[in-house]
Coordinates of all heavy atoms in Angstrom, one line a residue:
M277 N 29.4 35.2 -21.8 CA 28.0 35.5 -21.9 C 27.6 36.1 -20.6 O 28.0 35.7 -19.5 CB 27.3 34.2 -22.1 CG 27.0 33.9 -23.5 SD 25.7 32.8 -23.3 CE 25.4 31.6 -24.2
S278 N 26.7 37.1 -20.7 CA 26.2 37.7 -19.4 C 25.0 36.8 -18.9 O 24.5 35.9 -19.5 CB 25.6 39.1 -19.7 OG 24.5 39.0 -20.5
I279 N 24.6 37.1 -17.7 CA 23.5 36.4 -17.1 C 22.2 36.5 -17.8 O 21.5 35.6 -18.0 CB 23.4 36.8 -15.6 CG1 24.3 35.9 -14.8 CG2 22.0 36.8 -15.1 CD1 23.9 35.4 -13.5
K280 N 22.0 37.7 -18.3 CA 20.7 38.0 -19.0 C 20.7 37.2 -20.3 O 19.7 36.6 -20.7 CB 20.6 39.5 -19.4 CG 20.3 40.3 -18.2 CD 20.1 41.8 -18.6 CE 19.9 42.7 -17.4 NZ 19.7 44.1 -17.8
T281 N 21.8 37.1 -21.0 CA 21.9 36.3 -22.2 C 21.7 34.8 -21.9 O 21.0 34.1 -22.7 CB 23.3 36.5 -22.9 OG1 23.5 37.9 -23.0 CG2 23.3 35.8 -24.2
K282 N 22.3 34.3 -20.8 CA 22.1 32.9 -20.4 C 20.6 32.6 -20.1 O 20.1 31.5 -20.5 CB 23.0 32.6 -19.2 CG 24.4 32.5 -19.6 CD 25.3 32.1 -18.3 CE 26.7 32.2 -18.6 NZ 27.5 31.9 -17.4
I283 N 20.0 33.5 -19.4 CA 18.6 33.3 -19.0 C 17.7 33.3 -20.3 O 16.8 32.5 -20.4 CB 18.1 34.3 -18.0 CG1 18.8 34.1 -16.6 CG2 16.6 34.3 -17.8 CD1 18.6 35.2 -15.6
A284 N 18.0 34.2 -21.2 CA 17.2 34.3 -22.4 C 17.4 33.1 -23.3 O 16.4 32.5 -23.8 CB 17.6 35.6 -23.2
A285 N 18.6 32.6 -23.3 CA 18.9 31.3 -24.1 C 18.2 30.1 -23.5 O 17.6 29.3 -24.2 CB 20.4 31.1 -24.2
A286 N 18.2 30.0 -22.1 CA 17.5 28.9 -21.5 C 16.0 29.0 -21.7 O 15.3 28.0 -21.9 CB 17.8 28.9 -20.0
A287 N 15.4 30.2 -21.6 CA 14.0 30.4 -21.8 C 13.6 30.0 -23.2 O 12.6 29.4 -23.5 CB 13.6 31.8 -21.5
L288 N 14.4 30.4 -24.2 CA 14.2 30.1 -25.6 C 14.3 28.6 -25.9 O 13.4 28.0 -26.6 CB 15.2 30.9 -26.5 CG 14.9 30.8 -28.0 CD1 13.5 31.3 -28.3 CD2 16.0 31.5 -28.8
A289 N 15.2 28.0 -25.2 CA 15.4 26.5 -25.4 C 14.2 25.8 -24.8 O 13.7 24.8 -25.4 CB 16.7 26.0 -24.7
A290 N 13.7 26.2 -23.6 CA 12.6 25.6 -23.0 C 11.3 25.8 -23.8 O 10.5 24.9 -23.9 CB 12.4 26.2 -21.6
L291 N 11.2 27.0 -24.4 CA 10.0 27.2 -25.3 C 10.0 26.3 -26.5 O 9.0 25.8 -26.9 CB 10.0 28.7 -25.7 CG 8.8 29.2 -26.5 CD1 7.5 29.0 -25.8 CD2 9.0 30.6 -27.0
A292 N 11.2 26.2 -27.1 CA 11.4 25.3 -28.3 C 11.0 23.9 -27.9 O 10.3 23.2 -28.7 CB 12.8 25.4 -28.8
V293 N 11.5 23.4 -26.8 CA 11.2 22.0 -26.4 C 9.7 21.8 -26.2 O 9.1 20.8 -26.5 CB 12.0 21.6 -25.1 CG1 11.5 20.3 -24.5 CG2 13.5 21.5 -25.5
T294 N 9.1 22.8 -25.5 CA 7.7 22.7 -25.3 C 6.9 22.7 -26.6 O 5.9 21.9 -26.8 CB 7.2 23.9 -24.4 OG1 8.0 23.9 -23.2 CG2 5.7 23.8 -24.1
M295 N 7.3 23.5 -27.5 CA 6.5 23.6 -28.8 C 6.7 22.3 -29.6 O 5.8 21.8 -30.2 CB 7.0 24.8 -29.6 CG 6.7 26.1 -28.9 SD 6.0 27.4 -29.8 CE 5.6 27.0 -31.3
V296 N 7.9 21.7 -29.6 CA 8.1 20.5 -30.3 C 7.4 19.3 -29.7 O 6.8 18.5 -30.4 CB 9.6 20.2 -30.3 CG1 9.9 18.7 -30.8 CG2 10.4 21.2 -31.2
S297 N 7.3 19.3 -28.4 CA 6.6 18.2 -27.7 C 5.1 18.3 -27.7 O 4.4 17.2 -27.5 CB 7.1 18.1 -26.2 OG 6.7 19.2 -25.5
T298 N 4.6 19.4 -28.0 CA 3.1 19.6 -28.0 C 2.5 19.6 -29.4 O 1.3 19.9 -29.5 CB 2.7 20.8 -27.2 OG1 3.3 21.9 -27.9 CG2 3.1 20.7 -25.8
T299 N 3.3 19.3 -30.4 CA 2.7 19.3 -31.8 C 2.0 18.0 -32.2 O 1.3 18.0 -33.2 CB 3.8 19.7 -32.8 OG1 4.8 18.7 -32.7 CG2 4.3 21.1 -32.6
S300 N 2.2 17.0 -31.4 CA 1.5 15.7 -31.7 C 0.0 15.7 -31.2 O -0.3 16.5 -30.3 CB 2.2 14.5 -31.2 OG 2.3 14.6 -29.8
Q301 N -0.8 14.9 -31.8 CA -2.2 14.8 -31.4 C -2.3 14.1 -30.0 O -1.6 13.2 -29.7 CB -3.0 14.1 -32.4 CG -3.2 14.8 -33.7 CD -4.0 14.1 -34.7 OE1 -4.4 12.9 -34.4 NE2 -4.4 14.7 -35.8
A302 N -3.3 14.6 -29.2 CA -3.5 14.0 -27.9 C -4.5 12.8 -28.1 O -5.4 12.9 -28.9 CB -4.1 15.0 -27.0
Q303 N -4.3 11.7 -27.4 CA -5.1 10.6 -27.4 C -5.6 10.2 -26.0 O -4.8 10.0 -25.1 CB -4.4 9.4 -28.0 CG -3.9 9.6 -29.4 CD -3.1 8.4 -29.9 OE1 -2.9 7.4 -29.2 NE2 -2.7 8.4 -31.2
A304 N -6.9 10.2 -25.9 CA -7.5 10.0 -24.5 C -7.6 8.5 -24.3 O -8.1 7.7 -25.2 CB -8.8 10.6 -24.4
K305 N -7.1 8.0 -23.2 CA -7.1 6.6 -22.8 C -7.7 6.5 -21.4 O -7.4 7.4 -20.6 CB -5.8 5.9 -22.9 CG -5.1 5.9 -24.2 CD -3.8 5.2 -24.1 CE -2.9 5.6 -25.2 NZ -1.5 5.0 -25.1
P306 N -8.3 5.4 -21.1 CA -8.8 5.2 -19.7 C -7.5 4.9 -18.8 O -6.6 4.3 -19.3 CB -9.7 4.0 -19.7 CG -9.3 3.3 -21.0 CD -8.8 4.3 -21.9
P307 N -7.6 5.3 -17.5 CA -6.4 5.1 -16.7 C -6.3 3.6 -16.5 O -7.2 2.9 -16.2 CB -6.7 5.8 -15.4 CG -8.2 6.0 -15.4 CD -8.6 6.1 -16.8
G308 N -5.1 3.1 -16.6 CA -4.8 1.7 -16.4 C -4.4 1.3 -15.0 O -4.7 2.0 -14.0
W309 N -3.9 0.1 -14.8 CA -3.5 -0.4 -13.5 C -2.4 0.4 -12.9 O -2.2 0.5 -11.7 CB -3.1 -1.9 -13.6 CG -1.9 -2.1 -14.5 CD1 -1.9 -2.4 -15.8 CD2 -0.6 -2.2 -14.0 NE1 -0.7 -2.6 -16.2 CE2 0.2 -2.5 -15.2 CE3 0.1 -2.0 -12.8 CZ2 1.6 -2.6 -15.1 CZ3 1.4 -2.1 -12.8 CH2 2.2 -2.4 -13.9
V310 N -1.5 1.1 -13.7 CA -0.4 1.9 -13.2 C -1.0 3.1 -12.4 O -0.4 3.4 -11.3 CB 0.4 2.4 -14.4 CG1 1.5 3.3 -13.9 CG2 1.0 1.3 -15.1
F311 N -2.1 3.6 -12.8 CA -2.7 4.7 -12.0 C -3.1 4.2 -10.6 O -2.9 4.9 -9.6 CB -3.9 5.3 -12.8 CG -4.7 6.3 -12.0 CD1 -4.2 7.6 -11.9 CD2 -5.9 6.0 -11.4 CE1 -4.9 8.6 -11.2 CE2 -6.6 7.0 -10.7 CZ -6.1 8.2 -10.6
G312 N -3.7 3.0 -10.6 CA -4.1 2.5 -9.3 C -3.0 2.2 -8.4 O -3.0 2.5 -7.2
V313 N -1.9 1.7 -8.9 CA -0.7 1.4 -8.1 C -0.1 2.7 -7.6 O 0.2 2.8 -6.4 CB 0.4 0.6 -8.9 CG1 1.7 0.5 -8.1 CG2 -0.2 -0.8 -9.2
G314 N 0.0 3.7 -8.4 CA 0.5 5.0 -8.0 C -0.3 5.7 -6.9 O 0.2 6.2 -6.0
A315 N -1.6 5.6 -7.1 CA -2.6 6.2 -6.1 C -2.5 5.4 -4.8 O -2.5 6.1 -3.7 CB -4.0 6.2 -6.7
G316 N -2.3 4.1 -4.8 CA -2.2 3.3 -3.6 C -0.9 3.7 -2.9 O -0.9 3.8 -1.6
I317 N 0.2 3.8 -3.6 CA 1.5 4.1 -2.9 C 1.4 5.5 -2.3 O 1.9 5.8 -1.2 CB 2.6 4.0 -3.9 CG1 2.9 2.5 -4.3 CG2 3.9 4.6 -3.4 CD1 3.8 2.3 -5.4
A318 N 0.8 6.5 -3.1 CA 0.7 7.9 -2.5 C -0.2 7.9 -1.3 O 0.2 8.6 -0.3 CB 0.2 8.8 -3.6
T319 N -1.3 7.2 -1.3 CA -2.2 7.1 -0.2 C -1.5 6.5 1.0 O -1.6 7.0 2.2 CB -3.4 6.4 -0.5 OG1 -4.0 7.0 -1.6 CG2 -4.4 6.4 0.7
A320 N -0.7 5.4 0.8 CA 0.0 4.8 1.9 C 1.0 5.7 2.5 O 1.2 5.7 3.7 CB 0.6 3.5 1.4
A321 N 1.7 6.5 1.7 CA 2.7 7.4 2.2 C 2.1 8.5 3.0 O 2.6 8.8 4.1 CB 3.5 8.0 1.0
V322 N 1.0 9.0 2.6 CA 0.3 10.1 3.4 C -0.2 9.5 4.7 O 0.0 10.1 5.8 CB -0.8 10.7 2.5 CG1 -1.7 11.6 3.4 CG2 -0.3 11.4 1.4
V323 N -0.9 8.4 4.7 CA -1.4 7.8 5.9 C -0.3 7.4 6.8 O -0.4 7.6 8.1 CB -2.4 6.6 5.6 CG1 -2.8 5.9 6.8 CG2 -3.6 7.1 4.8
G324 N 0.7 6.8 6.3 CA 1.8 6.3 7.2 C 2.5 7.5 7.8 O 2.9 7.4 9.0
S325 N 2.8 8.6 7.1 CA 3.4 9.7 7.7 C 2.5 10.4 8.8 O 3.0 10.9 9.8 CB 3.8 10.7 6.7 OG 2.7 11.2 6.0
A326 N 1.2 10.4 8.5 CA 0.3 11.0 9.5 C 0.3 10.1 10.8 O 0.3 10.7 11.9 CB -1.1 11.1 9.0
I327 N 0.3 8.8 10.7 CA 0.3 8.0 11.9 C 1.7 8.1 12.6 O 1.7 8.2 13.8 CB 0.1 6.5 11.5 CG1 -1.3 6.3 11.0 CG2 0.4 5.5 12.6 CD1 -1.6 4.9 10.4
A328 N 2.8 8.2 11.9 CA 4.1 8.3 12.5 C 4.2 9.7 13.2 O 4.8 9.7 14.3 CB 5.2 8.2 11.5
A329 N 3.6 10.7 12.7 CA 3.7 12.0 13.3 C 2.9 12.2 14.6 O 3.1 13.0 15.4 CB 3.4 13.1 12.3
S330 N 1.8 11.4 14.7 CA 0.9 11.5 15.8 C 1.3 10.7 17.0 O 0.7 11.0 18.1 CB -0.5 11.1 15.4 OG -0.6 9.8 15.1
N331 N 2.2 9.8 16.9 CA 2.5 8.9 18.0 C 3.6 9.5 18.9 O 4.5 10.2 18.4 CB 3.0 7.6 17.6 CG 1.9 6.7 17.0 OD1 0.7 7.0 17.4 ND2 2.2 5.7 16.2
D332 N 3.6 9.3 20.2 CA 4.7 9.7 21.1 C 5.8 8.7 20.9 O 5.6 7.5 20.5 CB 4.2 9.7 22.5 CG 3.3 10.8 22.8 OD1 3.4 11.9 22.1 OD2 2.5 10.7 23.8
P333 N 7.0 9.1 21.3 CA 8.1 8.1 21.2 C 7.9 6.9 22.1 O 7.4 7.0 23.2 CB 9.4 8.9 21.6 CG 8.8 10.1 22.3 CD 7.5 10.4 21.8
Y334 N 8.4 5.8 21.7 CA 8.2 4.5 22.4 C 9.5 3.8 22.5 O 10.0 3.2 21.5 CB 7.1 3.7 21.7 CG 6.7 2.5 22.4 CD1 5.8 2.5 23.5 CD2 7.1 1.2 22.0 CE1 5.4 1.4 24.1 CE2 6.7 0.1 22.6 CZ 5.8 0.1 23.7 OH 5.4 -1.0 24.3
Y335 N 10.1 3.8 23.7 CA 11.4 3.2 23.8 C 11.4 2.0 24.8 O 10.9 2.2 25.9 CB 12.5 4.2 24.3 CG 12.6 5.4 23.4 CD1 12.1 6.6 23.8 CD2 13.2 5.3 22.1 CE1 12.2 7.7 23.0 CE2 13.3 6.4 21.3 CZ 12.8 7.6 21.8 OH 12.9 8.7 21.0
Y336 N 11.9 0.9 24.5 CA 12.0 -0.3 25.4 C 10.7 -0.6 26.1 O 10.7 -1.0 27.3 CB 13.1 0.0 26.4 CG 14.4 0.4 25.7 CD1 14.9 1.6 25.9 CD2 15.1 -0.5 24.9 CE1 16.1 2.0 25.3 CE2 16.3 -0.2 24.3 CZ 16.8 1.1 24.5 OH 18.0 1.5 23.9
G337 N 9.6 -0.5 25.5 CA 8.3 -0.9 26.1 C 7.7 0.2 26.9 O 6.6 0.0 27.4
Y338 N 8.3 1.3 27.2 CA 7.7 2.3 28.0 C 8.4 3.7 27.6 O 9.5 3.7 27.1 CB 7.9 2.1 29.5 CG 9.3 2.1 30.0 CD1 9.9 3.2 30.5 CD2 10.0 0.9 30.0 CE1 11.2 3.2 30.9 CE2 11.4 0.9 30.4 CZ 11.9 2.1 30.9 OH 13.2 2.1 31.3
H339 N 7.8 4.7 28.0 CA 8.5 6.0 27.9 C 8.0 6.9 29.0 O 6.9 6.8 29.6 CB 8.1 6.7 26.5 CG 6.7 7.0 26.3 ND1 5.8 6.1 25.8 CD2 6.0 8.1 26.5 CE1 4.6 6.6 25.7 NE2 4.7 7.9 26.1
R340 N 8.9 7.7 29.5 CA 8.7 8.6 30.6 C 8.7 10.0 30.1 O 9.6 10.5 29.4 CB 9.8 8.4 31.7 CG 9.7 7.1 32.3 CD 10.8 6.9 33.4 NE 12.0 6.6 32.7 CZ 13.2 6.6 33.3 NH1 13.4 7.0 34.5 NH2 14.3 6.2 32.6
C341 N 7.6 10.7 30.5 CA 7.5 12.1 30.1 C 7.3 13.0 31.3 O 6.7 12.5 32.3 CB 6.3 12.3 29.2 SG 6.5 11.5 27.6
G342 N 7.8 14.2 31.3 CA 7.7 15.1 32.4 C 7.9 16.5 32.0 O 8.4 16.8 30.9
W343 N 7.7 17.4 32.9 CA 7.9 18.8 32.6 C 9.2 19.3 33.1 O 9.6 19.0 34.3 CB 6.8 19.7 33.2 CG 5.5 19.4 32.6 CD1 4.5 18.6 32.9 CD2 5.0 20.1 31.4 NE1 3.5 18.6 32.1 CE2 3.7 19.5 31.1 CE3 5.5 21.0 30.5 CZ2 3.0 19.9 30.0 CZ3 4.8 21.4 29.4 CH2 3.5 20.9 29.2
V344 N 10.0 19.9 32.3 CA 11.4 20.4 32.7 C 11.4 21.9 32.5 O 10.9 22.5 31.6 CB 12.4 19.7 31.7 CG1 13.8 20.2 32.1 CG2 12.3 18.2 31.8
A345 N 12.1 22.5 33.5 CA 12.2 24.0 33.5 C 13.1 24.4 32.3 O 14.1 23.8 32.0 CB 12.8 24.5 34.8
Q346 N 12.7 25.5 31.7 CA 13.5 26.0 30.5 C 14.1 27.4 30.9 O 13.4 28.2 31.4 CB 12.5 26.2 29.3 CG 13.2 26.6 28.0 CD 13.9 25.4 27.4 OE1 13.6 24.3 27.7 NE2 14.9 25.7 26.6
Y347 N 15.4 27.6 30.7 CA 16.1 28.8 31.0 C 16.7 29.4 29.7 O 17.1 28.6 28.8 CB 17.2 28.5 32.0 CG 16.6 28.0 33.4 CD1 16.6 26.6 33.6 CD2 16.1 28.9 34.3 CE1 16.1 26.2 34.8 CE2 15.6 28.4 35.5 CZ 15.6 27.1 35.7 OH 15.1 26.6 36.9
N348 N 16.8 30.7 29.7 CA 17.5 31.3 28.5 C 19.0 31.4 28.8 O 19.5 30.9 29.8 CB 16.9 32.7 28.2 CG 17.1 33.7 29.4 OD1 17.9 33.5 30.3 ND2 16.4 34.8 29.2
A349 N 19.7 32.1 27.9 CA 21.2 32.1 27.9 C 21.7 32.9 29.2 O 22.8 32.7 29.6 CB 21.7 32.8 26.7
F350 N 20.8 33.7 29.8 CA 21.2 34.5 31.0 C 20.8 33.8 32.3 O 21.0 34.3 33.3 CB 20.6 35.9 30.9 CG 21.0 36.6 29.6 CD1 20.1 36.8 28.6 CD2 22.3 37.1 29.5 CE1 20.4 37.4 27.5 CE2 22.6 37.7 28.3 CZ 21.7 37.9 27.3
G351 N 20.3 32.6 32.2 CA 19.9 31.9 33.4 C 18.5 32.2 33.9 O 18.2 31.8 35.1
Q352 N 17.8 33.0 33.2 CA 16.5 33.4 33.6 C 15.4 32.4 33.2 O 15.4 31.8 32.1 CB 16.1 34.8 33.0 CG 17.1 35.8 33.4 CD 16.9 37.1 32.6 OE1 16.3 37.0 31.5 NE2 17.4 38.2 33.1
Y353 N 14.5 32.1 34.1 CA 13.4 31.1 33.9 C 12.5 31.6 32.9 O 12.0 32.8 33.0 CB 12.7 30.8 35.2 CG 11.5 29.9 35.1 CD1 11.7 28.5 35.0 CD2 10.2 30.4 35.1 CE1 10.6 27.7 34.8 CE2 9.1 29.5 35.0 CZ 9.4 28.2 34.8 OH 8.3 27.3 34.7
V354 N 12.2 30.8 31.8 CA 11.3 31.3 30.8 C 10.1 30.4 30.6 O 9.1 30.8 29.9 CB 12.0 31.4 29.4 CG1 13.0 32.5 29.4 CG2 12.6 30.1 29.0
G355 N 10.0 29.3 31.3 CA 8.8 28.4 31.2 C 9.2 27.0 31.4 O 10.3 26.6 31.7
R356 N 8.2 26.1 31.1 CA 8.4 24.7 31.2 C 8.2 24.1 29.8 O 7.4 24.5 29.0 CB 7.4 24.1 32.2 CG 7.6 24.5 33.6 CD 6.7 23.8 34.5 NE 5.3 23.9 34.1 CZ 4.4 23.0 34.6 NH1 4.7 22.1 35.4 NH2 3.2 23.1 34.1
V357 N 8.9 22.9 29.6 CA 8.8 22.2 28.3 C 8.6 20.7 28.7 O 9.2 20.2 29.6 CB 10.1 22.3 27.5 CG1 10.0 21.5 26.3 CG2 10.4 23.8 27.2
R358 N 7.6 20.1 27.9 CA 7.4 18.7 28.1 C 8.5 17.9 27.4 O 8.7 18.0 26.2 CB 6.0 18.3 27.5 CG 5.7 16.8 27.8 CD 4.3 16.6 27.4 NE 3.9 15.2 27.7 CZ 3.6 14.3 26.8 NH1 3.7 14.6 25.5 NH2 3.3 13.0 27.2
T359 N 9.2 17.0 28.2 CA 10.3 16.2 27.6 C 10.0 14.7 27.9 O 9.6 14.4 29.0 CB 11.6 16.6 28.3 OG1 11.8 18.0 28.2 CG2 12.8 15.9 27.7
C360 N 10.2 13.9 26.9 CA 10.0 12.5 27.0 C 11.4 11.8 26.9 O 12.2 12.2 26.0 CB 9.1 11.9 26.0 SG 7.4 12.6 26.2
Y361 N 11.7 10.9 27.8 CA 13.0 10.1 27.7 C 12.8 8.7 28.0 O 11.7 8.3 28.5 CB 14.0 10.8 28.5 CG 13.6 11.0 29.9 CD1 13.9 10.1 30.9 CD2 13.0 12.2 30.3 CE1 13.5 10.3 32.2 CE2 12.6 12.4 31.6 CZ 12.8 11.5 32.6 OH 12.5 11.7 33.9

């Protein structure tokens, strides 16, 4: 089989699955407790990642930061970089 035939077959199969799954009637229900749990987990993940990204590294009760000279591959000075260790 050529690639075009494989793509056409996959697209046709996806279309058939979509048509079969959408022929039933839709029933509207109010969101249950599962929606609340999912929303809480998603919110906690977003807030937790924002807090983790905003903090400086913290090692052994203190951290030292300073400016270090940056050089390119030819040994030429290109600027300074803040480094914490």
Side-chain angles (χ1 to χ4, degrees):
M277 268 200 210
S278 70
I279 272 222
K280 288 182 184 179
T281 308
K282 288 180 183 179
I283 292 174
L288 186 60
L291 181 64
V293 168
T294 304
M295 299 227 3
V296 168
S297 66
T298 58
T299 56
S300 63
Q301 291 182 351
Q303 297 177 359
K305 298 182 203 176
W309 62 272
V310 176
F311 176 75
V313 170
I317 291 173
T319 303
V322 170
V323 171
S325 62
I327 290 171
S330 66
N331 288 340
D332 286 336
Y334 186 75
Y335 304 107
Y336 307 112
Y338 65 92
H339 62 276
R340 292 181 277 167
C341 297
W343 291 95
V344 178
Q346 186 78 23
Y347 298 95
N348 64 10
F350 303 106
Q352 300 166 340
Y353 176 78
V354 292
R356 295 185 308 160
V357 177
R358 184 172 183 246
T359 304
C360 297
Y361 51 93

